[in-house]
Amino acid sequence: MKLKSVKALRWYFRIYYYVAQERLKKNDIDSREIHTHLVVVLSTGVLMWAYAFVAFFCINSPVPGIIGFTCALTHLLSPLIFKITNKSIIATNALLTAGIIHQATFAFYSGGFDSNIIIWFGILPMIGGVISGRKGGLTWLILTLLVALIYFVLQLSGFEFPYLISKQGRVLSQALLVFGWIFLSSTIVIVYAELRRNTEDLLHQQSKKIDDLFRVLFHDLANPLGRIAIGLSIAKRNLPDGETNRGLEIAKLASDSMMEITQNIRKMYAVSKGKANVDLIHTPLNGAVSYIMEVYASEMEKKKIKLSYHFEKNEGLHLLVEPVSFNNQVLGNIISNAIKFSPPNSEIIITAYPVNQDSFAVEIKDNGIGMPQVLIEQLFDLNKKTSRPGTNGESGTGFGMHIMKSFVEMYGGDLQIESMEAKADIPSGTTIKIILKGEWT
């Protein structure tokens, strides 16, 4: 028995690697989506072909048999769609479209709304949801309700559906319904439970990796940074009286900022573990922008990028944030990305305005290369690869946006992103809006 199970698994994985090889190479889809699709195809395929044979031999019309075999073949080949696209919803729709056509045709020739097979419509939204999530579930909820409603209205209007199925066919279709529902519903629940268990294991592993990274940051990085800061302080003191070194000042400012960031992430980690509270204070926006302009002065100068901000207009605006993380992880991250993805001789514009009585929006707009909608949707997902080179080949990790969003949520704020890639007569660029509690003083 164990040997047979091993052989079955080998055959399954041969099929899986044949179907998924392109997706694995490009790493552009969660492998669980392909596994789920394959399991559904294999478990429902038996029923598809069984109903096709019943239709062919037990219904006194060639139409349901021909359609049944065509749909069963389409259903069987639907996983091949993953060889050309990473959109699981397309493969799911092909799979379920074949199913609903097969079921609707069989039902039409075996009594219409009175046919027992029409009950199978109820399984389609469940399968759509298991494979493709909420979008798949809602899509097939609407479609199956629509087809069932059409049959119901026809029944009420007195339309006489052809009843061409034999007595033996009726018994066989009833048997497929009873045992098929038991088998299929059990399979879907087992698959869902296994996926949930795997997801929980993955989250646990990711949490452990994050904990390990934080430990490296706290213990292995903090000490060298401290020594760099001390060395730069000594170097500044050894300069002749009245003499300054711009590069040394920038390096000192950067090292101090890195030390603050390290301490701040340590505090964020403690807060996430329930060991500390984050202290929010009303922080002047002008001070944060001044800090950013000084920290990123050399990067902006290198690409000849201008940062525009109206200091006088926003005098007195204070935002309820934790100042170190807001300056570095939030505003600093946004400006760093804006510089990275902006062309030389462009402009970054920071504006602020009230949203309601105690909330304010801070908008950072650039004229960079922009982002496609699919990238915006994946921007805060640590499992998706979102890092791209900048306009001058600058590299990044892809973690900055996720960290930024975490801090904004910690402040009780909201983050919105609008972006447009360059097209014919449409300028490109990205606008990031942060909505935070604040006050004028």
Side-chain angles (χ1 to χ4, degrees):
M1 188 70 178
K2 187 176 181 181
L3 184 61
K4 288 182 179 179
S5 298
V6 171
K7 286 183 178 179
L9 280 174
R10 284 178 182 171
W11 274 106
Y12 171 80
F13 278 105
R14 283 180 186 175
I15 297 169
Y16 168 75
Y17 287 121
Y18 177 75
V19 169
Q21 59 183 342
E22 193 65 25
R23 305 280 65 85
L24 293 172
K25 190 187 301 180
K26 294 182 178 180
N27 192 27
D28 57 1
I29 189 174
D30 189 335
S31 61
R32 289 172 294 181
E33 294 183 33
I34 303 178
H35 278 301
T36 307
H37 189 98
L38 274 176
V39 170
V40 169
V41 167
L42 295 173
S43 57
T44 58
V46 177
L47 290 167
M48 289 284 289
W49 287 98
Y51 272 111
F53 277 104
V54 171
F56 184 79
F57 288 108
C58 300
I59 294 180
N60 192 24
S61 169
V63 175
I66 294 170
I67 291 177
F69 285 122
T70 303
C71 290
L73 185 61
T74 303
H75 172 278
L76 180 65
L77 298 178
S78 64
L80 295 178
I81 293 173
F82 286 111
K83 294 180 75 66
I84 57 175
T85 181
N86 66 336
K87 304 293 184 184
S88 67
I89 190 68
I90 297 175
T92 302
N93 287 343
L95 168 81
L96 297 182
T97 298
I100 199 169
I101 292 173
H102 186 8
Q103 292 166 3
T105 306
F106 193 106
F108 185 86
Y109 285 91
S110 59
F113 196 72
D114 287 333
S115 175
N116 58 15
I117 196 177
I118 208 167
I119 298 172
W120 279 114
F121 285 3
I123 206 77
L124 300 182
M126 187 190 302
I127 293 174
V130 167
I131 300 177
S132 299
R134 182 173 60 181
K135 186 176 181 181
L138 287 174
T139 299
W140 284 95
L141 171 64
I142 294 168
L143 289 174
T144 50
L145 280 175
L146 182 62
V147 175
L149 184 62
I150 291 171
Y151 275 59
F152 179 60
V153 171
L154 287 173
Q155 184 88 350
L156 289 177
S157 65
F159 179 82
E160 291 190 13
F161 290 94
Y163 190 84
L164 304 178
I165 188 168
S166 67
K167 184 177 180 181
Q168 185 183 25
R170 178 76 177 179
V171 172
L172 289 173
S173 65
Q174 182 69 15
L176 288 174
L177 176 63
V178 173
F179 297 110
W181 258 103
I182 294 171
F183 169 74
L184 199 56
S185 59
S186 301
T187 302
I188 289 174
V189 169
I190 291 168
V191 169
Y192 177 79
E194 183 64 18
L195 285 173
R196 181 176 177 178
R197 187 183 67 81
N198 289 339
T199 301
E200 289 173 351
D201 289 345
L202 181 63
L203 289 172
H204 177 73
Q205 291 170 13
Q206 288 179 338
S207 177
K208 188 177 183 303
K209 287 179 181 178
I210 291 171
D211 285 347
D212 292 341
L213 285 172
F214 277 139
R215 290 189 186 98
V216 170
L217 179 65
F218 299 157
H219 300 293
D220 299 346
L221 189 60
N223 289 337
L225 280 175
R227 289 195 293 272
I228 291 171
I230 292 170
L232 289 170
S233 297
I234 294 171
K236 283 187 68 177
R237 287 200 301 269
N238 290 337
L239 287 173
D241 291 343
E243 187 175 323
T244 60
N245 185 307
R246 179 60 177 160
L248 198 59
E249 289 178 355
I250 291 173
K252 180 67 170 67
L253 181 63
S255 69
D256 290 343
S257 297
M258 290 172 74
M259 282 298 295
E260 287 184 347
I261 292 168
T262 303
Q263 296 300 324
N264 201 64
I265 293 178
R266 179 181 293 181
K267 187 171 184 178
M268 176 188 174
Y269 177 75
V271 169
S272 70
K273 296 294 183 180
K275 297 177 181 179
N277 296 318
V278 63
D279 299 320
L280 304 183
I281 62 173
H282 284 93
T283 304
L285 179 60
N286 280 6
V289 175
S290 296
Y291 171 82
I292 288 301
M293 292 178 76
E294 187 172 1
V295 170
Y296 292 98
S298 59
E299 284 87 344
M300 289 189 287
E301 185 179 340
K302 190 182 297 182
K303 295 181 81 169
K304 293 182 171 56
I305 292 174
K306 178 185 177 184
L307 196 154
S308 297
Y309 173 74
H310 204 304
F311 281 94
E312 292 181 5
K313 182 180 177 182
N314 297 306
E315 184 68 38
L317 174 55
H318 290 66
L319 302 173
L320 189 61
V321 296
E322 195 289 311
V324 175
S325 59
F326 178 72
N327 289 351
N328 294 285
Q329 277 73 46
V330 179
L331 199 56
N333 230 314
I334 298 172
I335 296 300
S336 175
N337 281 336
I339 296 169
K340 177 180 175 181
F341 296 111
S342 290
N345 300 302
S346 59
E347 184 180 23
I348 299 170
I349 303 171
I350 302 177
T351 56
Y353 54 88
V355 175
N356 53 44
Q357 190 172 0
D358 62 351
S359 294
F360 298 84
V362 179
E363 281 191 2
I364 300 93
K365 185 180 186 306
D366 65 55
N367 301 114
I369 59 177
M371 292 180 283
Q373 185 60 36
V374 65
L375 182 59
I376 295 175
E377 292 171 359
Q378 297 175 351
L379 211 52
F380 306 113
D381 188 344
L382 289 175
N383 293 315
K384 302 292 184 180
K385 183 180 178 182
T386 58
S387 178
R388 300 183 297 167
T391 52
N392 278 0
E394 302 98 323
S395 62
T397 63
F399 296 131
M401 296 299 288
H402 179 80
I403 293 172
M404 177 187 69
K405 185 172 184 288
S406 298
F407 276 107
V408 170
E409 291 174 349
M410 196 180 292
Y411 308 151
D414 187 31
L415 184 68
Q416 299 171 12
I417 299 177
E418 295 178 4
S419 192
M420 180 68 69
E421 288 188 293
K423 294 182 181 177
D425 298 320
I426 303 174
S428 62
T430 299
T431 299
I432 296 182
K433 182 191 295 185
I434 313 166
I435 300 173
L436 298 164
K437 298 290 184 182
E439 63 181 19
W440 288 97
T441 58

